[in-house]
């Protein structure tokens, strides 16, 4: 599988380590009244979709950047690749 890195261009997926669901970018508020429940859900509850899914990938054997890769879990086709920092900044602005 080839991942089109936004800064480095096409890279083999073997250069990366996958962390999992990209929703991990959205950490719960530790000061919320239900923080314990929010962190439980954050750590233990994951979707396992068939089809399009956003995932966090780490470029371990490259520039050590974090990426959000949108791909099909059925075909492994990579649909979109973004720098995780850009995704996190955009989410912060949209809140």
């Amino acid at each position: 599988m080839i991942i089109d890195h936004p800064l480095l261009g096409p890279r083999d997926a073997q250069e990366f380590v996958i962390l999992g669901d990209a929703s991990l970018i959205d950490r719960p508020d530790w000061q919320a009244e239900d923080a314990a429940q929010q962190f439980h859900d954050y750590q233990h509850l994951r979707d396992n979709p068939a089809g399009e899914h956003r995932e966090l990938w780490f470029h371990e054997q490259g520039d050590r950047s974090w990426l959000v890769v949108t791909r099909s879990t059925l075909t492994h086709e990579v649909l979109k690749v973004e720098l995780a920092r850009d995704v996190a900044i955009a989410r912060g602005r949209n809140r």
Side-chain angles (χ1 to χ4, degrees):
M1 185 168 67
I2 301 297
I3 295 175
D4 193 9
H5 193 294
L7 302 175
L8 304 175
R11 313 302 296 180
D12 191 292
Q14 293 180 2
E15 295 182 12
F16 297 84
V17 175
I18 185 170
L19 176 63
D21 192 328
S23 67
L24 293 175
I25 290 174
D26 296 325
R27 291 179 56 98
D29 177 5
W30 63 274
Q31 295 178 319
E33 287 185 27
D34 63 341
Q37 182 63 46
Q38 286 185 35
F39 272 97
H40 172 272
D41 295 350
Y42 173 80
Q43 289 179 316
H44 301 289
L45 301 181
R46 300 282 186 271
D47 292 333
N48 189 16
E52 190 173 308
H53 186 59
R54 295 179 78 199
E55 303 165 330
L56 279 173
W57 290 66
F58 179 62
H59 196 192
E60 183 177 55
Q61 296 178 21
D63 69 344
R64 306 187 68 75
S65 60
W66 285 95
L67 304 176
V68 174
V69 176
T70 304
R71 70 178 184 93
S72 169
T73 59
L74 299 173
T75 65
H76 298 292
E77 176 187 7
V78 175
L79 306 169
K80 186 175 183 181
V81 181
E82 307 163 89
L83 292 172
R85 71 167 185 238
D86 294 344
V87 172
I89 289 169
R91 285 186 180 196
R93 289 184 190 143
N94 293 332
R95 285 185 181 194

